[in-house]
C-alpha cells in the first residue's frame, strides 16, 4: 500500500514535471519561431542593405565616371582656351607685323613720293634723284616684304584661332557630356541612398524582432529549466516510489511463495480429506443411502400420525420428534 501510494505520488509529480517540460518546450518553440522570424527579417534587411550598397556602388562608379568625363571636358576646355590664347597671341603678333609692314610701306611710299618729287624737280639732279629713287625703291621693297610677313603671320594666327575654336567646341561638348553623366550619377546616388535607408530600416526591424525572439527564447529557457527541475523532483519521488514498490513486490513475492506452499499443503489436505472422509462417505452413501432414504421417508410418514407418546386431549395439539442415531464409520 505504501509502495502504491509512493508510486502514485511519484507518477503525479512526474506528470507535473512532464507538463512543465511540455510548457517549456512550447515556449521554447515559440521563442525559436520568433527568433526564426527575426533572423528572416534580418536576412531580408541584409539583402536590402546589400542591394542598396550595390546601387550605391554603381552610383558611385557612375558618379566617378561622370566626374572623370567632367575632368576630361575641363581639361579639353583648358587646352582649347590655351590654344585660343596662343592663336590670339599669334594674331596679335601678325597684326603687329602687319601694322609694321604698313608703316614701312607707308614710309617707303613717302620716300618714293619724295624721290619722284625730287625726280620731277630737275634733270640736273638726276644722279642724286636716281640715288634717292633707288633708296626709296629699297625701302618700298623692304615694306612689301614686311607686309608679306605680316600677312603670313595673320594667316597663321587665323588658323590657330580656328583650331582653338574647334578645341573649345570639343571641350564644351565633353563638358556637357560630363555634366549629364554627373547628373545621372547624382540621381543614382540618391536612389542608392534611398535603398540604403530602406535596408537600414529593415535591418532595424529585423534587429528588434531578433531581440524580441531572444527574450522569448530566454523566457522559454527559464520555464524549460523550471520544468526540468520539477521533472527531476518528480523523477526522484518516482524513484523512491519505485524503491518502495520494489520492496512491496519482494514481500508480495514472498507471500505468493508462502501462499503457494499453503496451497500445496491445502491440496494435500483436501486429497487426504477426500480419501479419508468424502470417499468413504460416498461409498457408504452409494451402498446404504437408497435404503436409508426409504427408511427416512417411512419414518416421516409414520411420525406425522403421532402427536404424543402417551396421548393428549382432543383440544390440545402435539408433535413427536424422532431422533436417529448412526454408528460411526471407520
Amino acid at each position: 500500500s505504501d509502495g502504491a501510494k509512493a508510486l502514485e505520488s511519484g507518477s503525479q509529480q512526474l506528470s507535473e514535471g512532464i507538463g512543465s517540460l511540455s510548457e517549456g518546450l512550447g515556449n521554447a518553440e515559440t521563442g525559436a519561431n520568433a527568433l526564426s522570424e527575426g533572423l528572416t527579417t534580418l536576412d531580408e534587411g541584409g539583402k536590402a542593405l546589400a542591394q542598396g550598397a550595390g546601387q550605391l556602388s554603381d552610383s558611385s562608379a557612375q558618379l566617378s565616371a561622370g566626374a572623370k568625363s567632367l575632368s576630361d571636358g575641363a581639361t579639353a576646355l583648358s587646352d582649347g582656351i590655351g590654344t585660343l590664347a596662343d592663336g590670339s597671341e599669334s594674331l596679335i603678333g601678325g597684326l603687329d607685323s602687319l601694322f609694321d609692314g604698313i608703316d614701312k610701306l607707308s614710309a617707303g611710299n613717302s620716300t618714293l613720293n619724295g624721290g619722284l618729287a625730287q625726280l620731277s624737280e630737275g634733270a640736273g639732279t638726276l644722279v642724286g634723284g636716281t640715288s634717292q629713287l633707288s633708296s626709296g625703291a629699297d625701302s618700298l621693297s623692304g615694306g612689301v616684304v614686311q607686309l608679306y610677313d605680316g600677312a603670313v603671320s595673320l594667316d597663321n594666327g587665323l588658323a590657330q584661332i580656328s583650331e582653338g575654336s574647334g578645341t573649345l567646341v570639343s571641350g564644351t561638348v565633353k563638358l556637357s557630356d560630363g555634366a549629364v553623366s554627373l547628373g545621372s550619377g547624382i540621381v543614382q546616388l540618391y536612389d542608392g541612398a534611398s535603398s540604403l535607408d530602406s535596408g537600414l530600416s529593415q535591418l532595424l526591424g529585423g534587429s528588434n524582432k531578433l531581440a524580441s525572439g531572444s527574450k522569448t527564447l530566454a523566457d522559454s529557457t527559464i520555464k524549460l529549466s523550471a520544468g526540468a527541475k520539477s521533472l527531476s523532483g518528480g523523477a526522484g519521488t518516482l524513484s523512491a516510489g519505485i524503491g518502495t514498490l520494489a520492496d512491496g513486490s519482494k514481500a508480495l513475492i514472498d507471500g505468493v511463495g508462502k501462499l503457494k506452499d499453503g496451497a500445496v499443503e491445502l491440496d494435500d489436505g483436501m486429497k487426504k480429506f477426500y480419501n479419508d472422509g468424502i470417499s468413504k462417505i460416498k461409498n457408504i452413501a452409494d451402498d446404504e443411502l437408497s435404503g436409508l432414504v426409504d427408511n427416512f421417508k417411512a419414518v416421516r410418514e409414520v411420525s406425522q400420525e403421532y402427536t404424543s407418546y402417551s396421548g393428549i386431549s382432543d383440544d390440545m395439539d402435539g408433535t413427536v420428534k424422532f431422533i436417529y442415531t448412526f454408528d460411526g464409520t471407520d
Side-chain angles (χ1 to χ4, degrees), residues 57-68 181-182 184-186 188:
S57 177
D58 294 338
S59 300
S60 299
Q62 291 190 3
L63 181 61
S64 177
K68 186 176 183 302
S181 298
L182 179 61
S184 176
I186 291 173
Q188 290 191 2

Side-chain angles (χ1 to χ4, degrees), residues 28-325:
E29 182 180 3
T30 302
N33 291 333
L35 180 61
S36 177
E37 291 178 0
L39 290 175
T40 300
T41 305
L42 181 62
D43 181 64
E44 292 176 355
K47 290 180 179 178
L49 180 61
Q51 183 179 3
Q55 291 184 358
L56 181 61
S57 177
D58 294 338
S59 300
S60 299
Q62 291 190 3
L63 181 61
S64 177
K68 186 176 183 302
S69 298
L70 182 62
S71 177
D72 293 339
T75 301
L77 179 62
S78 177
D79 293 339
I81 292 174
T83 304
L84 181 61
D86 293 338
S88 298
E89 291 178 358
S90 298
L91 179 61
I92 293 172
L95 290 174
D96 290 338
S97 298
L98 179 61
F99 290 149
D100 291 338
I102 291 173
D103 290 338
K104 289 182 179 181
L105 182 61
S106 177
N109 189 30
S110 297
T111 303
L112 180 61
N113 288 331
L116 291 174
Q118 290 178 2
L119 181 61
S120 64
E121 286 180 357
T125 58
L126 180 59
V127 175
T130 301
S131 297
Q132 290 180 358
L133 180 61
S134 176
S135 176
D138 291 337
S139 298
L140 179 61
S141 176
V144 170
V145 171
Q146 288 184 359
L147 180 61
Y148 176 77
D149 292 337
V152 171
S153 298
L154 179 61
D155 183 67
N156 291 332
L158 291 174
Q160 289 183 357
I161 289 175
S162 177
E163 182 180 357
S165 298
T167 304
L168 179 61
V169 171
S170 176
T172 303
V173 172
K174 289 184 178 180
L175 181 62
S176 176
D177 294 338
V180 172
S181 298
L182 179 61
S184 176
I186 291 173
V187 171
Q188 290 191 2
L189 180 62
Y190 176 77
D191 293 338
S194 298
S195 298
L196 180 61
D197 181 67
S198 176
L200 289 175
S201 298
Q202 291 186 4
L203 181 62
L204 180 61
S207 299
N208 292 333
K209 287 188 177 181
L210 180 61
S212 177
S214 299
K215 184 177 183 301
T216 303
L217 182 60
D219 294 339
S220 301
T221 303
I222 293 173
K223 290 186 178 181
L224 182 62
S225 176
K229 289 181 180 178
S230 298
L231 180 61
S232 177
T237 305
L238 178 62
S239 177
I242 291 174
T244 304
L245 180 62
D247 295 337
S249 299
K250 183 178 180 182
L252 179 62
I253 292 172
D254 294 338
V256 170
K258 292 180 180 180
L259 181 62
K260 180 180 178 182
D261 295 338
V264 172
E265 292 180 0
L266 178 62
D267 182 66
D268 294 339
M270 290 300 294
K271 289 180 179 179
K272 184 177 181 181
F273 176 71
Y274 177 80
N275 293 328
D276 295 342
I278 300 300
S279 178
K280 292 182 179 181
I281 293 174
K282 181 176 179 298
N283 292 331
I284 292 173
D286 291 339
D287 295 338
E288 301 178 1
L289 184 59
S290 178
L292 183 60
V293 170
D294 293 337
N295 292 333
F296 280 156
K297 289 181 178 179
V299 171
R300 185 182 63 181
E301 291 175 356
V302 172
S303 65
Q304 291 177 353
E305 298 177 357
Y306 289 91
T307 58
S308 173
Y309 285 111
S310 59
I312 57 175
S313 61
D314 294 335
D315 58 351
M316 295 178 64
D317 294 328
T319 59
V320 177
K321 292 183 179 180
F322 294 90
I323 299 173
Y324 302 92
T325 60

Side-chain angles (χ1 to χ4, degrees), residues 7-17:
L7 179 61
E8 182 180 2
S9 176
S11 299
Q12 184 176 0
Q13 290 189 6
L14 179 61
S15 177
E16 292 176 356

